[in-house]
Amino acid sequence: MKKNIVYTWCVVLLMGLCVAFIIGTMERWYEVLVYDKKWMLGFFFGFMLVCVCLVYGYNKYFSGNRTYFLGRERGFLRKQEVRRKGFGSAGFGNVLRNDVLRNRVFWGVLLGVALGIRIVWVVMVPPPPPISDFGLYYDWAEKFAHGEMLGVEENNYIALFPHVIGLPAVLMVLFKVFGASLQLVTLFNAVVSTLTIGIVYAIGKRLMGRRWGRIAAVMMVFYPPNILFCSLVGTEILHQAMFCCCIWVLAYAAQMSDTSARQSARQSARQPAHQSSQSSQSSQSARQSSQSSNRGAAASGKVFWKQCVLMAVFGVLMEVSNGIRPMSALLILAVLFCLIFFMRKNMKNLRKAAVMCGIMLAAYVMTGMMIQGVIEKTVERPIARGDMGYTLAVGMKGGWNAEDMEMTLQYGREESAKEAHKKMQEVAWQRIQEDPAGVLGLMVKKTRDMWCDDTAAGMWLQWSYADEKSGLEVPENLIGRTGWVTMIMFYDYLLLLILMIFGLGNMIREKEFNPSIFFVIVILGAVAAFCLVESQGRYRFFVAPLMMLLAAQAFRGKGKMGETC
């Protein structure tokens, strides 16, 4: 693939959105925190200066062929020099590099710290009783574990929104083995959240190199919402893990051809550099060349079929992820976008990619049909293939409201779930026709509310504690609007957006094609989708790892794309 004008404009568009999100975040926090505006302006530029120094210092002193603080030794200093220099300026970096931050030790420490932070959080901060959808997930999982049947209204609800049965089905297995308890759910979330960090590293290593995978993984370890959501019985943690699994399989399949090409180049380099002029040796060389070509073609064919298998797995995982939260269509659209705009001039690769996409879609559809059959057998009625009608209608009104929910449930009682969503689509279209200008303003407001605040996890925890059934006091000093955990979330999100701007700038500056453009397209697709459908701050949690992988691009330094330092 090669860079083109579409590549550049996609990156520039996301950079502009990041700037807008930073401004919106500062405005929202200026409204909440009663600070002087001049102080906030000085804080912003001071924070920017710290980020610039961080990126510049890393790229100056801890990258290139000098010291890889998060990577492998590159020959700047030998081990003997490390022992001689001890804990000097360069010696200290090499001690870290050679003795402590080896791959296994690094991951043992990092994942141990990640799991420890999450377990300490869920133990020290008792999980509140689940409310809203979280309560449904927990109650249904208990009923499934005890073999109880759901009521008519519950079955009607599942027929309208089939994805709500995904998390209860997973929790049912846990409850059957260990018994039902909120502490079990929080510990499960902590483990899944920790495993997601490893998946993020695998994606970064596969597409960009080991160093950037490690940087993104470190960001994930200390990402506050990733810790706070462990205390809630929500789909966010599990869906994020499934979404990252889909991207890892796709990245593995996409990079297999590059690995095969490098292996073929190494085999060709082992051939003799010069050959004799005798006819016997010439014919022998020709036979060797022919055999080598045949082996290369066979190897290429094997790689192609392995890629086809991986794309089938990708399709299956996408549909399973859809059963938890229906956002997998973004990945399909992003793949098709890359094929159309970045591979259309390479017809040979385009034909292979088209075959693999066909296999992916076939696996996706067949898995969806199987899951649909299982759910229909459970609820004993036809189900809808998604909830686009309801989410569009709610999106055109600004967010969840009891009126639209009751209207959808009433349509579901009178007709099939599919017809109910068709009628809600008509309601959405009617709202657009009545006030087009108002809908555009509503889209801007929804985008600001969703992407200019990263405290959704703290807000849901606060609402859960404040519920009269909980009998618990809201820990205002932690998750209150001015609690210290909430403030950390604000600073962390601001830092993430600033680093994303640096990373996207590096993507424009470099000459070679960067596969991270796929993450850019997925994030842009998410921003556009939530302009139309129902939006809440927690719904965008699944793209947080992609934002961190783009932020890791800020620490490119002198390294090249794809090096496994």
Side-chain angles (χ1 to χ4, degrees):
M1 297 184 184
K2 293 184 179 181
K3 291 177 64 174
N4 54 24
I5 189 64
V6 177
Y7 176 102
T8 304
W9 277 109
C10 286
V11 177
V12 170
L13 178 58
L14 186 56
M15 286 182 70
L17 286 175
C18 287
V19 173
F21 296 159
I22 290 173
I23 296 173
T25 303
M26 298 294 292
E27 288 180 350
R28 288 181 68 87
W29 280 89
Y30 175 71
E31 295 170 0
V32 173
L33 305 175
V34 188
Y35 288 145
D36 184 74
K37 186 176 291 186
K38 294 180 180 179
W39 189 95
M40 288 292 286
L41 190 63
F43 163 77
F44 173 71
F45 285 110
F47 200 71
M48 281 285 291
L49 182 61
V50 170
C51 294
V52 171
C53 293
L54 177 66
V55 174
Y56 177 79
Y58 178 88
N59 293 336
K60 178 74 173 178
Y61 299 107
F62 293 98
S63 63
N65 288 329
R66 292 181 63 84
T67 305
Y68 281 87
F69 181 70
L70 295 177
R72 185 182 298 173
E73 182 181 3
R74 299 276 299 182
F76 177 62
L77 289 175
R78 299 175 183 270
K79 291 184 178 180
Q80 293 82 358
E81 294 174 332
V82 173
R83 297 191 188 100
R84 184 174 69 249
K85 292 193 176 185
F87 286 85
S89 58
F92 177 68
N94 280 273
V95 168
L96 290 177
R97 180 177 63 233
N98 292 309
D99 298 333
V100 179
L101 295 183
R102 290 184 183 277
N103 202 37
R104 293 181 181 178
V105 176
F106 176 86
W107 277 108
V109 172
L110 190 68
L111 295 182
V113 169
L115 184 60
I117 291 173
R118 284 150 179 78
I119 290 179
V120 167
W121 171 261
V122 299
V123 170
M124 297 296 291
V125 182
I131 61 172
S132 186
D133 289 346
F134 304 154
L136 288 180
Y137 299 148
Y138 188 84
D139 293 341
W140 290 352
E142 276 192 308
K143 289 183 178 181
F144 292 155
H146 294 122
E148 300 178 13
M149 300 297 292
L150 298 179
V152 176
E153 284 298 318
E154 293 170 319
N155 287 335
N156 184 49
Y157 188 86
I158 294 174
L160 288 167
F161 311 102
H163 66 275
V164 298
I165 203 173
L167 182 63
V170 175
L171 296 180
M172 172 192 68
V173 179
L174 291 176
F175 290 173
K176 281 187 174 181
V177 177
F178 302 103
S181 70
L182 284 175
Q183 288 75 14
L184 177 63
V185 178
T186 58
L187 291 175
F188 171 73
N189 285 340
V191 173
V192 174
S193 175
T194 304
L195 294 177
T196 305
I197 295 169
I199 301 172
V200 170
Y201 162 73
I203 295 171
K205 176 187 173 183
R206 195 73 189 176
L207 291 181
M208 298 174 285
R210 180 176 296 172
R211 178 165 31 129
W212 298 291
R214 286 182 173 182
I215 293 172
V218 170
M219 292 181 184
M220 282 287 292
V221 169
F222 302 102
Y223 183 53
N226 202 273
I227 300 171
L228 269 64
F229 270 123
C230 292
S231 297
L232 295 170
V233 190
T235 59
E236 283 70 29
I237 295 290
L238 186 58
H239 178 251
Q240 185 189 72
M242 292 298 302
F243 196 80
C244 289
C245 280
C246 294
I247 294 179
W248 178 78
V249 172
L250 182 63
Y252 195 88
Q255 292 297 312
M256 282 187 69
S257 57
D258 294 342
T259 304
S260 176
R262 287 195 295 269
Q263 291 176 350
S264 300
R266 285 196 295 266
Q267 291 176 358
S268 299
R270 295 193 189 104
Q271 299 296 328
H274 56 276
Q275 300 171 353
S276 174
S277 60
Q278 297 180 2
S279 58
S280 59
Q281 293 185 357
S282 299
S283 60
Q284 183 180 1
S285 175
R287 286 195 300 271
Q288 291 178 352
S289 177
S290 176
Q291 291 173 358
S292 177
S293 177
N294 292 336
R295 285 195 299 268
S300 177
K302 289 181 180 179
V303 169
F304 173 69
W305 288 113
K306 287 180 181 178
Q307 288 176 314
C308 290
V309 172
L310 287 172
M311 292 303 288
V313 174
F314 175 61
V316 172
L317 287 176
M318 276 198 303
E319 184 55 43
V320 173
S321 173
N322 243 8
I324 299 170
R325 182 165 292 283
M327 294 303 301
S328 297
L330 285 176
L331 290 177
I332 298 177
L333 295 176
V335 170
L336 296 178
F337 186 94
C338 290
L339 290 181
I340 294 171
F341 291 101
F342 303 136
M343 291 189 67
R344 57 184 178 181
K345 293 184 179 179
N346 192 336
M347 294 306 297
K348 181 179 179 181
N349 290 339
L350 182 60
R351 284 193 293 268
K352 289 184 177 180
V355 172
M356 288 188 284
C357 282
I359 294 173
M360 171 196 71
L361 291 174
Y364 178 79
V365 172
M366 288 190 292
T367 305
M369 293 174 63
M370 292 173 60
I371 294 176
Q372 182 176 351
V374 172
I375 297 177
E376 288 180 347
K377 185 177 179 180
T378 302
V379 302
E380 299 178 346
R381 66 193 65 193
I383 65 172
R385 190 76 169 98
D387 57 352
M388 185 56 69
Y390 167 79
T391 55
L392 276 175
V394 171
M396 294 301 104
K397 203 167 183 178
W400 187 92
N401 59 89
E403 179 185 351
D404 284 344
M405 175 58 72
E406 183 57 37
M407 188 187 306
T408 307
L409 292 175
Q410 184 61 35
Y411 286 148
R413 297 186 193 102
E414 297 172 354
E415 303 180 37
S416 66
K418 187 182 295 185
E419 290 298 323
H421 282 294
K422 284 185 178 179
K423 289 191 174 183
M424 293 306 294
Q425 285 182 359
E426 295 174 359
V427 172
W429 180 242
Q430 182 180 359
R431 290 174 179 172
I432 295 174
Q433 290 178 320
E434 288 176 354
D435 188 10
V439 169
L440 290 177
L442 180 63
M443 290 181 180
V444 174
K445 181 181 181 300
K446 287 168 59 180
T447 302
R448 180 178 181 270
D449 293 341
M450 185 172 188
W451 296 91
C452 297
D453 191 359
D454 203 31
T455 60
M459 290 171 61
W460 275 97
L461 272 175
Q462 193 174 7
W463 294 337
S464 299
Y465 275 110
D467 188 71
E468 58 184 12
K469 298 179 182 179
S470 70
L472 300 172
E473 293 184 2
V474 180
E476 291 287 348
N477 62 322
L478 288 178
I479 57 175
R481 202 55 182 155
T482 57
W484 64 269
V485 173
T486 307
M487 295 300 296
I488 289 175
M489 285 192 281
F490 163 63
Y491 297 136
D492 183 83
Y493 189 56
L494 196 61
L495 175 63
L496 177 62
L497 291 174
I498 294 172
L499 290 179
M500 276 185 67
I501 294 175
F502 285 112
L504 294 168
N506 280 337
M507 289 180 64
I508 295 177
R509 180 172 56 86
E510 64 195 10
K511 295 181 180 180
E512 57 187 5
F513 183 90
N514 191 324
S516 299
I517 188 65
F518 183 78
F519 306 150
V520 174
I521 295 168
V522 172
I523 294 174
L524 290 176
V527 174
F530 286 117
C531 284
L532 300 173
V533 301
E534 180 188 5
S535 62
Q536 291 187 33
R538 64 187 178 96
Y539 288 173
R540 65 172 176 82
F541 182 66
F542 69 98
V543 300
L546 308 188
M547 297 172 71
M548 292 175 196
L549 286 164
L550 290 176
Q553 296 280 342
F555 301 95
R556 289 296 301 276
K558 303 172 186 177
K560 294 183 179 179
M561 175 66 57
E563 62 184 6
T564 58
C565 53

